[in-house]
Amino acid sequence: MGKNINSLESLVQDYRNELPEPAPEWPSEVREMMLFLNEHLFDKNLSIKKAKSNCYSNGNNISTLFKHYVGESPKEYVIKHRLEAGKRLLTNRHLSGVTIFVVSICLGYSGSGAFSHMFKKKTGMPPSEWREKKLAEVAE
């Protein structure tokens, strides 16, 4: 299992390295927010409130600005990238024995329930079913 955990952490780090960078012409608070979210994307204690506080902004204005420049709210940005990273982990055949719970924890969720709920809401199926389907497609 130790090898699988190292592989999970490595894949999560690879995903983090591929995250978009903020454009230099964006307002500084939007750039700071994106950099903070990218850096802490998989931290279980990440919250938008904490991100706003880090960027010295307590109002909703930063969320509006972020959505204007990035195309999605900070919350949507976090969810999208956590789920995309999760899809990579779930479809890696070397990690097929890793539980949904362990994948969830690596992505910053407090457990598999929250991850599974959001995954099903966005993809239309639970992560275990999605994994099985995608791994079968790859095997064909």
Side-chain angles (χ1 to χ4, degrees):
M1 186 64 160
K3 183 180 175 188
N4 284 341
I5 295 298
N6 289 340
S7 294
L8 278 168
E9 290 172 350
S10 176
L11 288 170
V12 166
Q13 187 58 45
D14 289 347
Y15 187 86
R16 185 191 320 269
N17 292 338
E18 297 171 15
L19 288 168
E21 291 289 323
E25 66 273 8
W26 291 355
S28 62
E29 60 264 45
V30 173
R31 290 193 318 267
E32 288 175 31
M33 174 76 88
M34 181 180 256
L35 292 171
F36 183 87
L37 294 176
N38 286 353
E39 182 179 339
H40 299 281
L41 185 63
F42 303 114
D43 297 355
K44 74 176 187 170
N45 295 320
L46 174 64
S47 70
I48 302 307
K49 184 178 180 178
K50 188 182 288 186
K52 284 181 180 180
S53 173
N54 183 73
C55 300
Y56 309 108
S57 175
N58 292 319
N60 287 330
N61 187 37
I62 184 65
S63 293
T64 304
L65 277 174
F66 190 92
K67 185 169 185 165
H68 174 77
Y69 286 95
V70 180
E72 56 204 346
S73 72
K75 182 178 179 179
E76 291 166 337
Y77 181 85
V78 169
I79 290 168
K80 177 180 88 175
H81 286 293
R82 282 183 171 181
L83 293 180
E84 287 304 313
K87 288 176 181 179
R88 284 194 192 179
L89 299 178
L90 292 170
T91 56
N92 185 306
R93 60 184 178 85
H94 300 292
L95 300 174
S96 61
V98 175
T99 66
I100 302 300
F101 176 79
V102 171
V103 169
S104 303
I105 298 301
C106 285
L107 297 173
Y109 287 92
S110 57
S112 58
F115 171 66
S116 295
H117 174 77
M118 188 56 63
F119 194 94
K120 185 174 182 179
K121 182 178 178 181
K122 297 293 185 179
T123 67
M125 63 179 73
S128 55
E129 188 180 317
W130 191 89
R131 171 192 256 173
E132 191 176 298
K133 180 181 178 208
K134 294 298 179 181
L135 289 173
E137 288 173 4
V138 171
E140 293 175 356

